[in-house]
Amino acid sequence: MRNILVINSSAAGDDAASRVLVRSVVEALKREAPGATVVERDVGRDPIPHLMGDALDGIRRDEPQTRGGWRTRELSDALIAELKAADVIVIGAPMYNFGVPTTLRAWFDHVLRAGVTFAYSEAGPRGLLEGKRTIVVESRGGEYSSGPARAFDFQEPYLRHLLGFMGIDDVTFVRAEKLGFGPEARAAAIAEAHAAIEAAVARMRAVPDSVAA
Ligand SMILES: Cc1cc2nc3c(=O)[nH]c(=O)nc-3n(C[C@H](O)[C@H](O)[C@H](O)COP(=O)(O)O)c2cc1C
């Protein structure tokens, strides 16, 4: 492990569950590989613009024709360069309205680029990013991994698909659920998620070269 890319997307502050847990993931990874570099992109605090008007020009295949298109292209290129350079990606993803924050969606809108991070072929779409391992921290007010709300989890399947579409299919999801069920439930969920993080990093250690300092 040489380069860790950290993406936070909570609109809340330092105490946001996903931020606390993402910090814990990074600390655990750094214990494994103290020399690894950490690049942080906080789209919750420093949002990426949504694609509107001229901006669309920048994510299409052709050369942009507008200033707005060029601005998008430059940002998209920079975000993709961060993604390509990373061998481990850590994403903090709160559940907002059963899905992901729009700021995180805007990040995906900039990094999913035909011919750059995925390609269409006769055999269907193919992801162009390979050899990356990802830990996604999902924070949720309710419970979706079991029970009646399970069918309304549009967060995890969506994230799995978006990442897989780019070829990132080694993804571990760490869920902190029932955060809105009172202080005890919240504390239990955070403790459980911390344990899941340790287990996820231990699994990475068990696979040769995945967490090499
Ligand atoms: C705009 C908004 C929408 C939310 N929608 C949902 C939801 O659909 N389901 C859910 O379980 N929790 C929902 N929540 C609660 C958050 O998932 C929960 O507060 C979580 O802790 C937020 O993550 P964070 O602490 O990392 O910011 C929502 C919170 C906000 C602010």
Side-chain angles (χ1 to χ4, degrees):
M1 175 171 53
R2 292 179 311 277
N3 297 311
I4 304 167
L5 174 62
V6 179
I7 297 153
N8 269 299
S9 61
S10 174
D14 276 344
D15 295 341
S18 57
R19 289 184 191 284
V20 169
L21 293 167
V22 161
R23 280 200 294 277
S24 168
V25 176
V26 175
E27 280 163 20
L29 293 172
K30 286 287 278 182
R31 278 200 299 276
E32 299 295 328
T37 61
V38 179
V39 170
E40 297 199 48
R41 207 23 106 162
D42 195 326
V43 299
R45 290 195 168 127
D46 191 7
I48 284 167
H50 290 300
L51 293 177
M52 289 191 300
D54 288 354
L56 268 182
D57 220 15
I59 49 130
R60 297 206 170 108
R61 274 173 190 271
D62 301 336
E63 196 164 279
Q65 300 299 314
T66 61
R67 285 180 64 174
W70 273 113
R71 272 198 298 275
T72 302
R73 175 62 60 92
E74 280 165 18
L75 178 57
S76 168
D77 283 348
L79 296 173
I80 290 171
E82 287 173 0
L83 191 54
K84 282 187 170 170
D87 44 15
V88 177
I89 304 155
V90 183
I91 299 176
M95 179 184 273
Y96 284 176
N97 293 315
F98 310 101
V100 299
T102 57
T103 49
L104 185 56
R105 168 57 197 268
W107 181 82
F108 278 107
D109 285 345
H110 282 71
V111 298
L112 275 141
R113 252 172 63 197
V116 183
T117 52
F118 69 91
Y120 292 113
S121 68
E122 282 185 13
R126 187 168 57 90
L128 298 177
L129 303 181
E130 282 173 359
K132 301 188 189 301
R133 316 192 95 192
T134 300
I135 296 179
V136 179
V137 172
E138 296 174 320
S139 47
R140 302 155 162 194
E143 183 181 25
Y144 298 84
S145 58
S146 62
R150 200 170 175 170
F152 308 121
D153 177 4
F154 300 105
Q155 176 194 31
E156 186 167 316
Y158 186 51
L159 286 168
R160 191 186 294 286
H161 183 69
L162 288 174
L163 291 165
F165 203 73
M166 295 186 285
I168 303 171
D169 43 26
D170 184 340
V171 184
T172 302
F173 288 92
V174 172
R175 303 181 194 119
E177 298 193 295
K178 300 201 272 187
L179 295 170
F181 287 22
E184 271 178 34
R186 184 182 175 88
I190 300 281
E192 215 173 292
H194 277 299
I197 288 166
E198 292 304 323
V201 173
R203 271 197 305 278
M204 290 171 97
R205 187 192 308 133
V207 178
D209 296 325
S210 63
V211 192

